[in-house]
Amino acid sequence: MAAHDAWALVCRLFAGGTPVLRAMLSPREAVALPVLGKAVKPTTVDQSFVLCPHCQQHRAQVWGDGRGGRMCRCPDCGQVAVEASDGAALILDEDWLRQKLRLALGIESRDGIDDLGDGVWRLGDARRSPVLLARDLTRVQQEPALLDRVRVAGGDIRVITPRPRTTRGSPFGAGVEWLAMEDRFAFYGGGISFLGKPGTEKNSPAADPTAAVYGPFSEDFRWVSPPDWTDGPIHCTEGQAAVFKSLWSFKGEPVSGERVMQRAGLDSDKPIDLFKVRTRDKGKPEAERPLAAYRSLVVTERREGLYSMPCAMGNSFINAKEQ
């Protein structure tokens, strides 16, 4: 449950947008904190008031005791000595959050992040669907012009926000999909996983989205664990997953690159196009690991222009689950 609690803490910190005193973390959040690694970082806050170190119920003003120390007066506890650690705080690295959400949704790196102001960002396009990240759902609801600024012909808009306490159902009309951070994403292996559509067991926060279902692939083909790979499941973009899923569907039969890409619903000419590492991304694991998986699992007959996936021989989308 540490990963689930860690993700809940990320959502809380993002929704607040301000530092949180370590002393104000719940016991479960404090236990989950080390799991987040670089996702949260220490920061400084106003030291003129602190949460009472004894009862942790009241904020009290701090003053010097004349001997180099500091004191506060709590309404319940009276005078209490204040240590430097009593003012320790942490804050979410929101650049980390935005980049990991982009990876989870398969947003190409060439799409930049646009700050639309007041806690709203455009993360880029996920397969022709603009993606907005907002600190507060109400902010987007009350300013429809934000959606008009990013809307594109033929593509729905995805809006990611922390889940408010009072919203039920879909808060937007047709053409806008709301993704509640707590329900539709999860923290896993130092990154963020997209859990897909709600309402099924596989999308429960407690489920492992990386679990192999079709041979070495997860159910949505977004994670792959090649047999010769020992460094954990490899995360793929939506386009890469579509290529793997297409190749798997041919059950190991060599087929042309055109057929593979047509079934994947992609415009590129060759399957390898989705896995090429740009010069600026060289050395980045998130870019190079999917290429390593591709080279491990896909056989290319260059002269004939044929591609196959031997591990899919004799399998289908039904019996692969029984392996």
Side-chain angles (χ1 to χ4, degrees):
M1 292 299 292
H4 178 67
D5 293 334
W7 180 240
L9 177 58
V10 167
C11 296
R12 180 165 85 88
L13 292 174
F14 176 68
T18 57
V20 173
L21 290 172
R22 281 179 172 267
M24 297 184 69
L25 296 179
S26 69
R28 294 180 63 170
E29 288 175 336
V31 171
L33 187 59
V35 177
L36 288 172
K38 296 180 179 180
V40 294
K41 51 190 178 182
T43 188
T44 57
V45 294
D46 182 6
Q47 297 289 305
S48 59
F49 286 83
V50 297
L51 197 66
C52 174
H54 279 184
C55 68
Q56 297 186 356
Q57 297 298 316
H58 302 283
R59 287 181 62 83
Q61 188 172 6
V62 178
W63 73 90
D65 62 3
R67 299 186 299 274
R70 297 190 305 159
M71 304 288 293
C72 73
R73 180 179 292 276
C74 174
D76 292 338
C77 306
Q79 290 191 13
V80 179
V82 177
E83 304 294 337
S85 59
D86 294 327
L90 56 87
I91 192 169
L92 176 67
D93 184 343
E94 295 190 358
D95 286 336
W96 172 91
L97 175 65
R98 289 187 284 268
Q99 293 296 339
K100 294 300 183 181
L101 285 173
R102 280 163 54 88
L103 284 174
L105 292 170
I107 297 174
E108 297 294 339
S109 59
R110 64 174 175 269
D111 295 333
I113 297 175
D114 299 321
D115 188 347
L116 304 184
D118 296 330
V120 182
W121 296 264
R122 181 182 181 276
L123 299 183
D125 294 343
R127 302 194 73 178
R128 301 185 180 90
S129 293
V131 180
L132 288 184
L133 171 66
R135 205 181 303 281
D136 185 355
L137 176 62
T138 305
R139 164 91 167 88
V140 183
Q141 289 177 305
Q142 293 180 344
E143 192 173 342
L146 286 170
L147 301 177
D148 294 335
R149 289 172 62 182
V150 302
R151 196 182 304 275
V152 297
D156 290 346
I157 300 173
R158 291 177 172 180
V159 178
I160 305 170
T161 75
R163 184 182 61 243
R165 295 180 180 180
T166 57
T167 297
R168 295 182 181 179
S170 176
F172 299 104
V176 181
E177 180 184 12
W178 175 50
L179 306 178
M181 288 177 61
E182 295 87 344
D183 301 331
R184 305 293 296 276
F185 298 89
F187 183 80
Y188 186 85
I192 298 174
S193 300
F194 178 47
L195 300 180
K197 296 290 184 183
T200 59
E201 180 181 352
K202 71 176 182 179
N203 295 322
S204 140
D208 180 1
T210 72
V213 175
Y214 301 115
F217 299 101
S218 64
E219 186 145 5
D220 62 359
F221 284 78
R222 293 295 299 275
W223 296 89
V224 55
S225 301
D228 55 351
W229 184 265
T230 59
D231 199 20
I234 297 171
H235 188 250
C236 301
T237 67
E238 286 190 7
Q240 292 165 348
V243 170
F244 280 142
K245 185 175 182 179
S246 173
L247 284 164
W248 180 271
S249 71
F250 290 108
K251 303 180 182 180
E253 174 189 354
V255 295
S256 68
E258 182 180 0
R259 287 187 67 192
V260 173
M261 302 310 288
Q262 184 178 23
R263 183 166 294 186
L266 300 171
D267 297 331
S268 299
D269 296 328
K270 302 177 182 178
I272 189 65
D273 291 343
L274 276 294
F275 297 84
K276 291 179 179 178
V277 179
R278 298 180 178 84
T279 301
R280 64 183 178 186
D281 293 330
K282 289 187 180 297
K284 296 181 179 180
E286 62 268 23
E288 295 192 343
R289 288 179 177 179
L291 177 60
Y294 177 89
R295 288 172 172 167
S296 172
L297 298 171
V298 179
V299 173
T300 304
E301 300 175 38
R302 298 181 184 277
R303 182 172 298 178
E304 294 82 4
L306 301 177
Y307 300 82
S308 62
M309 184 180 285
C311 67
M313 288 183 178
N315 293 314
S316 72
F317 288 109
I318 298 176
N319 63 27
K321 298 183 181 182
E322 301 174 354
Q323 290 186 337

